Amino acid sequence: GGGYVSPNSSSRGGGALSSVRSEHKHVQERQQWFKEFDEIEKLWAQKFTTQEALWHVRVKEQEEIFQEKQNESQNKILSLEKELENLKQQLKSQQTASSSVTTAHQSPSHATLTTQHTPKAVPRLGLEISDCKASSPHKSNGTLFGVKVVSVSPNSPGFAGGVHAGDIITQFSCGTPIYDRATFREAMRTLCPTSVLTLMVVRNGTEQQVTLYPYAAGDSAVHI
């Protein structure tokens, strides 16, 4: 009546309690393991985020460096193009200056040649003359000299001054003797184109003076 407890019954009760306790322990261990796993996962996620952020930073830095290098290259190219343009301008200026100097050096020579080949303006009388021939000589002290007037152009200084065809011009009023056409033209070249000219002529064996008012013109082989 006092309640008998079987030893086996006590043993079964103790085993159940122990089993419950063991299960509880396993649950706690699993919970702890999951907790640690979560923490590890968080750490890895945090580390990955940090690495990704660092990677983005490095990529951005590399992009900035590349852009900077590209800008430097473009600036160098622009600088070289500007230098090339300056060199072209300098070369063009030097060529222009060289051309100007060459022209300046050549101009006097050209002017000299032009002066040498441009006939000097001499007085023109409108006379056609020839050397005196043996058939109509005019001699002084045995020397043949003078030029014969072959023809006189109308409205010329010779015509206005009274020179006639057949007259023999022997001397200028300045005292220059005339021996032939060469000396006559040479004497004419020494005169001013607008000078008043007095000639000594022999007409029908008589020497007389005629006064002419020449006009300037180019030289001629026959007409004076």
Side-chain angles (χ1 to χ4, degrees):
Y4 171 77
V5 177
S6 173
N8 293 332
S9 176
S10 175
S11 175
R12 286 195 297 271
L17 179 61
S18 174
S19 177
V20 169
R21 289 177 178 175
S22 176
E23 183 67 24
H24 183 267
K25 183 178 180 181
H26 285 311
V27 170
Q28 287 181 337
E29 287 177 354
R30 285 195 298 269
Q31 290 178 346
Q32 181 66 29
W33 184 83
F34 282 122
K35 184 178 181 180
E36 291 178 358
F37 179 80
D38 289 339
E39 290 178 355
I40 292 172
E41 188 177 17
K42 289 179 180 179
L43 289 173
W44 275 105
Q46 184 178 0
K47 185 176 181 180
F48 177 78
T49 303
T50 303
Q51 291 294 333
E52 185 179 14
L54 290 174
W55 181 81
H56 283 295
V57 170
R58 289 177 182 175
V59 169
K60 187 175 181 180
E61 289 177 351
Q62 292 299 321
E63 289 178 350
E64 290 177 353
I65 292 173
F66 175 77
Q67 186 65 39
E68 184 177 355
K69 295 293 184 181
Q70 189 176 21
N71 292 338
E72 288 180 359
S73 299
Q74 290 178 350
N75 291 335
K76 286 182 180 179
I77 292 174
L78 291 175
S79 178
L80 290 174
E81 289 178 348
K82 187 174 182 181
E83 276 186 38
L84 180 61
E85 187 64 27
N86 290 336
L87 288 174
K88 288 182 179 179
Q89 292 295 332
Q90 291 178 6
L91 179 61
K92 186 176 180 180
S93 300
Q94 290 177 357
Q95 289 176 343
T96 303
S98 177
S99 177
S100 300
V101 171
T102 302
T103 303
H105 283 302
Q106 291 177 347
S107 295
S109 175
H110 179 70
T112 302
L113 292 175
T114 302
T115 302
Q116 290 175 350
H117 290 84
T118 301
K120 178 183 176 182
V122 297
R124 293 299 297 274
L125 306 179
L127 307 177
E128 181 182 359
I129 62 174
S130 66
D131 294 333
C132 287
K133 298 181 180 181
S135 59
S136 56
H138 180 78
K139 294 185 178 181
S140 176
N141 299 326
T143 301
L144 181 66
F145 68 99
V147 292
K148 184 177 181 179
V149 178
V150 178
S151 64
V152 182
S153 299
N155 302 319
S156 66
F159 181 85
V163 179
H164 296 172
D167 288 350
I168 297 176
I169 302 172
T170 60
Q171 183 178 313
F172 281 6
S173 58
C174 58
T176 303
I178 303 301
Y179 297 102
D180 49 25
R181 289 188 302 174
T183 56
F184 186 93
R185 283 195 292 268
E186 187 63 31
M188 291 288 288
R189 290 190 182 96
T190 64
L191 299 177
C192 177
T194 56
S195 298
V196 177
L197 177 62
T198 301
L199 299 178
M200 300 297 295
V201 301
V202 176
R203 182 181 300 159
N204 299 324
T206 303
E207 194 171 40
Q208 57 185 288
Q209 288 185 352
V210 292
T211 301
L212 310 180
Y213 298 89
Y215 57 84
D219 198 1
S220 171
V222 179
H223 289 81
I224 302 296

